[in-house]
Amino acid sequence: MPIELINASFTYPDGSPAVESVNLTINDGERVAIVGQNGAGKTTTVKMMNGLLRPSSGSVAVDGVLTSARTTAVTAKTVGYVFQNPDDQIFGSTVRGELEYMPRYHKWDEVKREARVARAADLTGVAEHFDVNPNDLPFAIKKFVAIGAILVGECRYVILDEPTAGLDSRGLALLNRMIDQLEAEGISVITITHDMRFVVESFNRVVVMAHRTVIADATATEVFASDGILKEAKLKRPEVAQLARDLGLSHTALRLGDVLPLIA
Ligand SMILES: Nc1ncnc2c1ncn2[C@@H]1O[C@H](COP(=O)(O)OP(=O)(O)OP(=O)(O)O)[C@@H](O)[C@H]1O
């Protein structure tokens, strides 16, 4: 069952409209990147998906149930949201404590708790830091702790807000391995990102937001082939894709792997 936004709009209490008439369906097991300039409405849109915000008008449904009819805690069991800044999310005094927070809150038995914590730690590579205070860890590892704390739960959709910010190539490889693993388990991954290289390397479906709404929902190839979409959303092609165009090699190549055969 999908997440379905129908004409979903959101206005903050101070009267600022943040999202206007978004229509979007995310299906089970999909990988979706949401891109667009600062202030385009991406974070507000995903917060509506997991019930942190409820639409001011229109509707948001998860598995056919309106988020407005559920508490945030219930919607968040199905749709997990990892904050952009781990410091906004993490409050445990050890990594283990952070990962065990949700199982203890839901009073899971020890066997289930241990199994879910071990799985989340394995996916995010944080087991070796179990006894460390998250605040003493480098930012990149803290990000994985924040992801792990959400993956402990049994959500079927995971939203990652700017996951590549602050990651080195090792962190990026770990992130991609984790996303592949989640996909293999049938869990949807929805990512907000400004990192166009990450988009083309790791996502096929791309939702483009500009001026508070969705202006395109297409494959990465279609989005990055369209000067109109890129201009309206003020987005840049990944360097490799732009170079392939400039050299007259291809209008659709996005990754190094697409371009190399053309010059071999
Ligand atoms: N708490 C808030 N109160 C009032 N206005 C807000 C609040 N949060 C966001 N906004 C406004 O809503 C609009 C959309 O913001 P949102 O954070 O959803 O965009 P975004 O695309 O996620 O941007 P970014 O890439 O910077 O995270 C912006 O104009 C922003 O200033």
Side-chain angles (χ1 to χ4, degrees), residues 202-232:
S202 308
F203 295 87
N204 185 35
R205 181 175 170 196
V206 182
V207 171
V208 184
M209 293 193 72
H211 36 81
R212 299 186 287 278
T213 197
V214 171
I215 63 156
D217 182 354
T219 64
T221 306
E222 287 163 339
V223 166
F224 290 108
S226 167
D227 288 330
I229 294 171
L230 298 180
K231 191 167 173 221
E232 188 175 354

Side-chain angles (χ1 to χ4, degrees), residues 12 14 16-18 36-45 84 192 194:
Y12 282 98
D14 68 358
S16 337
Q37 282 286 296
N38 292 336
K42 306 177 298 294
T43 300
T44 305
T45 298
Q84 179 170 353
I192 291 179
H194 287 278

Side-chain angles (χ1 to χ4, degrees), residues 217-250:
D217 182 354
T219 64
T221 306
E222 287 163 339
V223 166
F224 290 108
S226 167
D227 288 330
I229 294 171
L230 298 180
K231 191 167 173 221
E232 188 175 354
K234 299 197 179 71
L235 294 174
K236 279 191 165 173
R237 287 192 180 86
E239 279 174 20
V240 168
Q242 189 58 50
L243 194 65
R245 280 190 162 232
D246 294 346
L247 295 176
L249 294 170
S250 167

Side-chain angles (χ1 to χ4, degrees), residues 52-74:
L52 270 173
L53 298 175
R54 304 214 167 75
S56 313
S57 64
S59 66
V60 178
V62 175
D63 294 344
V65 180
L66 293 176
T67 56
S68 54
R70 283 174 159 171
T71 62
T72 303
V74 170

Side-chain angles (χ1 to χ4, degrees), residues 13 25 29 32 44 53 59 63 89 95 103 106 113 122 126 134 144 157 159 179 184 198 208-209 218 226 237 255 261:
T25 300
V32 183
T44 305
L53 298 175
S59 66
D63 294 344
Q89 187 189 317
V95 170
H106 291 303
R113 185 178 77 220
D122 181 46
V126 301
F144 282 105
Y157 296 86
I159 299 167
I179 294 174
F198 177 53
V208 184
M209 293 193 72
S226 167
R237 287 192 180 86
R255 307 161 200 93

Side-chain angles (χ1 to χ4, degrees), residues 3-15:
I3 300 177
E4 206 167 14
L5 286 79
I6 299 174
N7 285 325
S9 300
F10 185 83
T11 301
Y12 282 98
D14 68 358

Side-chain angles (χ1 to χ4, degrees), residues 59-135:
S59 66
V60 178
V62 175
D63 294 344
V65 180
L66 293 176
T67 56
S68 54
R70 283 174 159 171
T71 62
T72 303
V74 170
T75 303
K77 273 189 189 178
T78 308
V79 186
Y81 173 60
V82 181
F83 280 72
Q84 179 170 353
N85 183 350
D87 293 330
D88 292 339
Q89 187 189 317
I90 291 174
F91 56 89
S93 56
T94 63
V95 170
R96 178 187 284 282
E98 185 67 28
L99 265 57
E100 287 185 346
Y101 176 78
M102 195 188 299
R104 290 190 190 281
Y105 178 83
H106 291 303
K107 299 190 169 57
W108 293 348
D109 65 47
E110 196 180 330
V111 174
K112 180 173 175 183
R113 185 178 77 220
E114 289 291 316
R116 295 294 304 179
V117 167
R119 168 189 175 271
D122 181 46
L123 279 166
T124 52
V126 301
E128 64 186 281
H129 308 291
F130 260 164
D131 299 321
V132 180
N133 185 321
N135 290 320

